[in-house]
Every structure is written in structure tokens, then in C-alpha cells.
Amino acid sequence: MSHHHRMMLQRYGLGCTTSLYSKVLFDPIFTPIFTALFTPIFGAGTALTSFAVGAAAAIATTALTVGLQLLLAPSVKTPKPEDGKVPKTQSIPYRWWGVGRTRIAGAYMLWEAKGNKLYAVQALAGHKIKSINRYYLHDDEVTIGSGNYVNSLADGRYGNQKVRLYSRLGANPETPYSALVAGIPESWTNNHRGDGQASVAMIAASPKQQDFSTRFPYNAPSVSVEADMAYCWDFRDPAQDPEDESTWEWTQNCAVILAWHLCFSEFGEKLDYQKAILPVLDLWIEEADICDEDVPLAGGGTEKRYQCNGFDTTENGPKAATNAILAACDGHLVARGDGARILTVGKFRESRCGVLTDADIVGHNIQYDVLFEDEINRLVPKFTYPAIDYATADTDFFEDTDAQLSAGRVLAQEAEYTWVHQWRQARRLAKREWRRIQEKVRGSLDVRLSGINAVYNRWNRLETPKRLPRLDGKIVENRRSLLSITRGGFSMDIVQHPENIDAWTPETDEGQIPPVPPAPNAAGLVTPVINLVQARASNDSVYIRVIIIDPDDDSLVPVVRYRVADIGSGVPGAWIEQQFPDATPSLGFVNLNTNIVPSDKLLDVQAAFISSKGRYSDWSPTAPVTSTADPTAPGTPTNLTAPNSVTTVPVSAKAANDNTRTLVFKRGTTAQSFAAATEIARYTVTANQTISFNDVPGAGTYKYWCGAENGSGVPSASQASVTTVVT
């Protein structure tokens, strides 16, 4: 090695590493050009020619780990959930936006008093929203009666027609608030429509002096709402057009929301969906389906694996919300050199696992344990809890008592899931992170250009008997990758992947439902806490099982109400209420079984208590449930045929001898999945029925599928398939 080369290695601090470097002379004129490439890049393609596509950002953007949360806080954090309870007062406020279902107050657009009335308008979101479900004045939930007047609470609060509330969902063009125009025409006119802006308006009249403390015990009312926020394009639904927002639907699916945030949201990355999503649509569909998977609960029933609910303001850049969404699904996002984005949510699959060999690795820096100051022996999951009025709460923590005894103290860390509203989901996410923490093996790999495909994978299996014999055959998780020419190509931060990361036993892993401090309403009644909502099939019908925490008060009568979430055009149905005067507590819970409910519908369910005087408590937060009458999946269709042919393909398949009610035929390329293929026919069938029809796809090689659905729309676990050549 030349003296000059040794000096350059020493200058860059590389002499003591395992990296291999060519014996080049460093020209000071070109050094800035190369060092510019040491910064993170946001995308490298699968060919060498695509390196320059994005030489300015990170290859992999992942959900924040516990350590990264500390390093990056607070610049990439979304607002705390408590910030959604009080409207902001600023001369030029930041715009608000949100996804899923959340509580939000927005910012004041108008706050003006005239005579004995106060007029206020709050901008809730800078986009169209689906609905406003609840209204709050301070922390009191209120309802709206005739004439838009707030109904009086039990103690007279807000009564005597002193408060009126109005709302707009953000249509374009929007409808003016005529009551405000009539009241203060000099300040608010018909031109103040707020096109495309969801808003809420309030007119509060001052009562007599002796009644003021009764009507307004907390001074002037402060309005906030629970709302179903943005409509998103669900790329799995052929009826939804990415170019036509009127076809989009409201969702809580993490993958669908992330695609909206990256490509369609005014407040997101504003990527071209034709480059970012469509080239890898099959992968996005797979991740969205995983988010919608039903996870069994300890008490029976299921909930969706990953849901996302939250809000942000334009005070933060798009990265803050991206990290919040990824954290809600333990997500890993990669930017490819051609502009495509590859999402991998928290569920290990071999299909997303690559291989790194000795030949691909030119250097490494691996730690098989952590320093004392980096030790974590307790992990506390934090999430947003609707049961305590959308405030931050924590669930049962994970800890290593042996490690605590060895360390002599508890070394705790918090895992923040601000956009998670289900406590069981927060536990599932935290357990995945806890298992990563316990692995302890972490570090970085210097990867040659030959390992570029591994850079895009979330997981990679190491075949390294020579360089890393202790990790040979192990799977490591790619936490972040950077383009680093001096290290051979890429620098990949890794952590050893736990083999049991997806293991989940509801009976032992769920823990206890987070406590809900009693918060009596104006009638002095506490709000029920729902532990479980479950649809139960009974013959050809279905009823709803609701389990609430025992209030330890025999004078209270539980009551459950439900409604169909959408009876058309996004409009919910009427509430149907049922009381349970004979309900008997057992083991700290009260089990309530409703009468027969509409089958195969998405229902909103709430619970309340009624006192001996007939007064109601506040209704609990809404729990959604699908009233599936037949939860048993049908069998896979048989005898699928679609022979090679000229022009016309005769397609035929037979229904299984079970509860199959529909056969679904799809056609696609041999590289596509059933979910991504195009549906070409759908037939209503009975058991053992054979369906035959002709298809004219044009010349080419195709793959045909046939799947099944039962009467409740539950699909078969697998599909029959066959490949066909048409000439």
C-alpha cells in the first residue's frame, strides 16, 4: 500500500475497518463530488444506470424504532392527541388534515361578539371529510336538536337554546353558514363558503347573569368533534377511480392511507401514483390485505390487524405523518430508483426475504450486545385511547426482570403509537419491537453493488459461513440503507430478526384493558367501557355480543344501540336501542347479547348506562363490527379448465360441496396474484354446481383463477388457477 493511500485511509478513519478499498489516488478536486454521494439516497434501481435517479435521500424509510424516536424527536412527531380537543387561535393558522376516525378541533377562522351573541367558525380540515359523529363543548359530549340548538345536559348546562352548532363536510363549492351571514353580515358573507374545507360553526347567546355559571360553567364554549376524516383511493376496488375522488371511500387501512398520503393528499409527498404505486400494485394489495386480516381476540371475535387514525397540521412536513402511519403497521417503506415505493407491513413472509452472501459483503460492523447506557429492559407502549376522550394512554408493558436485576434498576423506554386507537394493536406492535430489542444483535453491513436487490428487501437471509459465521443462516432486518461508494456500494443498518416475531397468543399476550378513570357526565353517570364487540351467527341470522366492564353499581341499566354504518351514499342509518335491565355481572364484566341485527352489514355499536331516574350517561366510543351471518369460508372451487385455444377460451369450474354461494372468475398475467387480476365473471351458485362460459382475451399467455364466496361474502382461503395460451 502506498504512503499516500495509507494517509488517505487514516484521514477518512477507514484504516481500522474491514472494508476493502481500491488503491486509488484521491484528487482533492473530485473529493467533494464523491462525498456528496455519502449522504442518504432515496432510491436506487435494480440496474447500475439508476443510481443517479435519487442521489439525495434514504433508500429505506422505516417506522421509527424506539431509539430513532429519541434521536429524531420532536421534529418528526405529529401533534399529541390532546391537541385535537382545543381549537388553535393564531393570526394565520396552519391547516389541519386527518385520516381514519379521530377527535379534532382545528383552528379558528372567526371569533367575534356582537350584541349578546358570540359567533365562531373553526376550520377542521383542509379537505373533504366523511362525517362528523360527535360534538363536544369543552369535554362534554352534546347532541343537536331542532333548529341546530344544543340539547340541554342534565344539570342545565348549555340549555335554554343558548348554543347552536352547524357543520360543513368540505364540499366544493360549499354552502355558506346562513345564520352567521344574517347575524354579522359586515364580517361574514355568502362568499365565506370555505370550499373544500371541513368546518364547524357556533353561535352562543349570553344568558342572564345569574344563569351564566349554570349554562356556561367553563366560560365561552370550546367546540371539538369526533369525525371520520379523509376519503382515500382503495386500489383493491375496481369501482374506485384514482382520477375521480367521488369514487373513493373512507378507510382506516394503513396501506391505503399511506398510498393516499404519498400520492394524493395535498399535505403529503405528491408523488405520481402511476410511478409510485402502479408498477408494484400487487405488492401494495398484499400489504393492504394483511392490514385487514382478522386477528382473534382473547374474549372471542376479531379485530383488524393494523388500523390508522390521526391528524396533523402543515406545521410539520410530510415525513412526520409518514412515520406515524408506518409506526401504526410496523411498516417499512422503500423508494426504488424508478420512483416506485415498496411497502412491507409487520408480518414476516419469505417472499419479502432476500439473500446476502459472503460475495455481496465487503465489510461489517456487528455488535452482539449493547452498551449499558443503551440497555432497555422495559418497553411501555403508548397509544391514543378513545375511551378516555382521545387522550394518550399506555397498555401493559413488556419487561425482562432478569435484566433489571442484573442492571440494578429499571431501564424503561416508551414506544409511541400516536395514530393507533386500539389497545390490543398497540400491544401487538410493541411486542414485535420488544422481540427485536431482546435480540441485541445489530450493526451495519457494507454491501457490494451485486447486493443491490437485498437493499430493497426488508429481510435478508445471510449465507456468510466465512465472513459472519455466527450469523450464517440467520435473518436480519434492513432498518436503513445508504449509498456509500467508499464502502463498496451501500451501507445497511441491520438488526437480527427474531424467529418468533409473529407469535401471538391472545389469552396471554393481550394483557389487561387499560384503565378508564371514572368521568361522570352532567347527570353524574360514568360512561361504559367496551371490552369486546362480536358478531355471533345464529342459524341464518346474527346478533351482536357486547361485553362491558362491570360498573359496580346495581342501579344502572346497561343499554346498547347500533346502526348500519352506510345505507347509501355514506349516510348512516337510524340508531336502534335495546336495554338490558336483567344483565348480571360476572368476573368483572357484563355480557350483553342483542336481538337479531341486519346480516352482513357494517354496524356502529355504542353502549350507555341509564339511572333509576331515567337519565343517560354519555355513549361509549363507537365500536365497528361486521354482522357476518356465515363466518365459515367456502371451499376452493374444483375442476377449473381453460384450455389453450384460438381466440375464444372456454372457461369452466365447479363449486365445492359446501356453503359456496358465488364463484368469482379472474384473468391476469402469470406474474399477477388473484387479488390483482381482473375480474371477468361472477356467478351465483349452489353446492356442486358447474359454471361454464366463453372468454375472448386476445392473443397472449394468461392465467385464470376461480375463487368462491359464501352468502356473507367471506372468500375461500385459496383459489383454483390454470395457465392458458391464446393464439
Side-chain angles (χ1 to χ4, degrees):
M1 180 182 295
S2 69
H3 174 73
H4 180 67
H5 188 213
R6 284 198 305 271
M7 293 301 296
M8 292 308 302
L9 289 178
Q10 181 177 350
R11 178 183 301 177
Y12 286 101
L14 304 174
C16 58
T17 73
T18 61
S19 297
L20 302 178
Y21 294 87
S22 60
K23 296 181 180 181
V24 298
L25 294 178
F26 288 78
D27 189 330
I29 297 177
F30 293 102
T31 298
I33 297 178
F34 286 102
T35 55
L37 293 177
F38 299 161
T39 58
I41 69 167
F42 213 136
T46 55
L48 300 179
T49 55
S50 61
F51 283 165
V53 170
I59 285 181
T61 301
T62 66
L64 292 180
T65 63
V66 175
L68 286 178
Q69 286 177 354
L70 289 180
L71 292 174
L72 300 177
S75 60
V76 298
K77 286 189 176 181
T78 55
K80 295 181 178 180
E82 291 81 2
D83 295 337
K85 297 183 178 183
V86 181
K88 295 293 184 182
T89 304
Q90 295 173 297
S91 56
I92 304 178
Y94 293 99
R95 296 176 69 187
W96 294 52
W97 62 274
V99 295
R101 176 173 295 164
T102 190
R103 183 172 173 181
I104 191 169
Y108 281 116
M109 294 190 292
L110 174 71
W111 177 271
E112 184 168 331
K114 181 179 180 181
N116 69 331
K117 291 183 175 63
L118 171 66
Y119 299 87
V121 178
Q122 295 161 221
L124 298 176
H127 56 82
K128 184 180 180 180
I129 66 175
K130 176 179 178 287
S131 64
I132 293 177
N133 307 323
R134 296 178 168 210
Y135 293 88
Y136 298 88
L137 294 180
H138 302 289
D139 266 340
D140 296 321
E141 183 181 352
V142 297
T143 57
I144 300 176
S146 177
N148 287 90
Y149 286 102
V150 170
N151 295 320
S152 175
L153 299 185
D155 61 354
R157 202 175 304 175
Y158 316 120
N160 199 26
Q161 297 189 338
K162 293 302 179 184
V163 182
R164 281 180 284 174
L165 293 178
Y166 306 85
S167 64
R168 300 289 185 265
L169 300 182
N172 191 4
E174 191 50 273
T175 305
Y177 289 113
S178 57
L180 273 72
V181 174
I184 48 173
E186 64 279 4
S187 301
W188 202 262
T189 70
N190 285 322
N191 292 326
H192 292 83
R193 298 189 306 268
D195 295 345
Q197 312 293 309
S199 63
V200 62
M202 177 189 70
I203 301 177
S206 179
K208 296 179 180 179
Q209 184 176 1
Q210 61 269 28
D211 295 333
F212 192 90
S213 60
T214 300
R215 306 298 181 212
F216 302 131
Y218 310 118
N219 214 325
S222 175
V223 183
S224 61
V225 302
E226 178 199 87
D228 290 350
M229 302 298 287
Y231 288 91
C232 302
W233 172 53
D234 191 336
F235 36 78
R236 299 170 297 174
D237 184 0
Q240 297 188 35
D241 183 353
E243 305 288 348
D244 184 1
E245 295 185 21
S246 65
T247 64
W248 299 357
E249 293 184 358
W250 175 80
T251 183
Q252 294 172 292
N253 184 286
C254 293
V256 175
I257 287 173
L258 181 60
W260 173 81
H261 176 62
L262 292 176
C263 301
F264 300 98
S265 171
E266 181 181 350
F267 315 102
E269 304 282 354
K270 296 297 290 183
L271 304 176
D272 183 352
Y273 78 94
Q274 298 185 59
K275 296 180 180 179
I277 305 296
L278 293 188
V280 287
L281 183 60
D282 291 357
L283 302 181
W284 279 87
I285 290 174
E286 179 181 348
E287 304 313 296
D289 289 342
I290 290 175
C291 291
D292 276 344
E293 285 180 349
D294 291 325
V295 178
L297 307 180
T302 61
E303 72 177 20
K304 300 303 180 185
R305 183 182 295 276
Y306 297 128
Q307 289 188 335
C308 179
N309 309 269
F311 66 89
D312 197 4
T313 74
T314 53
E315 184 176 5
N316 300 314
K319 181 188 293 185
T322 300
N323 282 327
I325 299 168
L326 291 173
C329 61
D330 190 25
H332 177 276
L333 184 65
V334 173
R336 213 167 60 181
D338 60 358
R341 298 299 191 267
I342 302 174
L343 171 68
T344 308
V345 300
K347 182 181 180 182
F348 177 76
R349 287 143 286 159
E350 285 289 347
S351 62
R352 297 298 183 94
C353 185
V355 176
L356 277 173
T357 67
D358 279 328
D360 297 321
I361 302 174
V362 296
H364 67 272
N365 181 11
I366 303 296
Q367 297 84 41
Y368 293 91
D369 205 341
V370 297
L371 298 174
F372 177 78
E373 57 265 27
D374 296 328
E375 181 75 28
I376 299 173
N377 54 41
R378 175 180 290 177
L379 184 66
V380 183
K382 294 205 165 215
F383 72 110
T384 301
Y385 200 13
I388 56 174
D389 292 331
Y390 291 90
T392 302
D394 53 60
T395 71
D396 291 346
F397 49 75
F398 299 92
E399 64 178 350
D400 185 342
T401 54
D402 291 339
Q404 291 172 1
L405 292 173
S406 176
R409 60 175 177 152
V410 174
L411 299 171
Q413 186 59 270
E414 295 179 351
E416 294 189 14
Y417 306 110
T418 308
W419 285 24
V420 172
H421 288 184
Q422 297 171 317
W423 63 273
R424 296 178 179 92
Q425 179 180 337
R427 284 274 298 176
R428 291 195 299 273
L429 290 165
K431 187 155 191 179
R432 295 178 64 86
E433 187 63 39
W434 176 242
R435 284 173 172 147
R436 291 192 192 97
I437 291 171
Q438 289 182 306
E439 286 296 328
K440 297 184 182 297
V441 178
R442 58 198 66 234
S444 63
L445 301 176
D446 300 328
V447 181
R448 294 182 188 272
L449 300 182
S450 62
I452 187 171
N453 288 332
V455 170
Y456 296 119
N457 294 321
R458 178 169 187 174
W459 301 284
N460 289 288
R461 192 179 301 275
L462 298 184
E463 295 180 358
T464 54
K466 296 180 180 179
R467 178 174 289 278
L468 295 168
R470 291 178 62 178
L471 294 179
D472 184 34
K474 301 290 186 181
I475 297 175
V476 296
E477 182 170 350
N478 173 13
R479 301 300 283 176
R480 188 180 66 158
S481 293
L482 309 176
L483 176 64
S484 181
I485 299 299
T486 62
R487 296 187 179 184
F490 305 97
S491 176
M492 179 187 296
D493 294 339
I494 64 167
V495 59
Q496 184 169 327
H497 176 70
E499 294 182 358
N500 63 340
I501 194 168
D502 289 316
W504 179 260
T505 305
E507 290 74 17
T508 57
D509 292 338
E510 275 189 8
Q512 297 295 317
I513 183 172
V516 178
N521 66 349
L525 302 178
V526 296
T527 304
V529 178
I530 295 180
N531 181 63
L532 176 70
V533 175
Q534 180 184 14
R536 302 293 294 268
S538 176
N539 297 324
D540 292 330
S541 58
V542 61
Y543 64 92
I544 302 299
R545 178 189 181 205
V546 181
I547 298 179
I548 62 175
I549 304 297
D550 180 11
D552 196 22
D553 187 345
D554 294 338
S555 68
L556 299 179
V557 175
V559 55
V560 172
R561 69 178 185 180
Y562 70 87
R563 68 180 180 183
V564 177
D566 186 356
I567 60 175
S569 302
V571 178
W575 288 105
I576 299 176
E577 186 176 309
Q578 182 178 348
Q579 299 180 15
F580 298 86
D582 299 324
T584 303
S586 176
L587 301 176
F589 297 95
V590 182
N591 190 359
L592 311 173
N593 295 324
T594 69
N595 296 326
I596 301 302
V597 302
S599 299
D600 305 321
K601 299 289 186 181
L602 178 61
L603 304 178
D604 294 331
V605 181
Q606 296 178 346
F609 290 127
I610 304 177
S611 70
S612 56
K613 296 182 179 179
R615 293 180 174 177
Y616 280 69
S617 72
D618 290 338
W619 290 96
S620 67
T622 302
V625 63
T626 301
S627 56
T628 305
D630 182 4
T632 304
T636 304
T638 61
N639 301 347
L640 174 63
T641 60
N644 297 340
S645 60
V646 178
T647 308
T648 302
V649 179
V651 182
S652 179
K654 182 180 179 181
N657 185 22
D658 58 6
N659 60 338
T660 299
R661 294 294 178 267
T662 305
L663 290 184
V664 181
F665 293 87
K666 289 190 174 185
R667 180 188 66 234
T669 67
T670 55
Q672 283 183 306
S673 63
F674 175 78
T678 302
E679 183 176 319
I680 57 174
R682 177 181 291 263
Y683 292 92
T684 301
V685 298
T686 57
N688 286 323
Q689 182 177 352
T690 297
I691 293 295
S692 300
F693 65 96
N694 292 326
D695 183 42
V696 185
T701 300
Y702 301 96
K703 190 173 183 179
Y704 285 87
W705 290 266
C706 183
E709 294 179 358
N710 68 10
S712 295
V714 177
S716 55
S718 60
Q719 304 83 31
S721 64
V722 64
T723 300
T724 301
V725 178
V726 181
T727 57

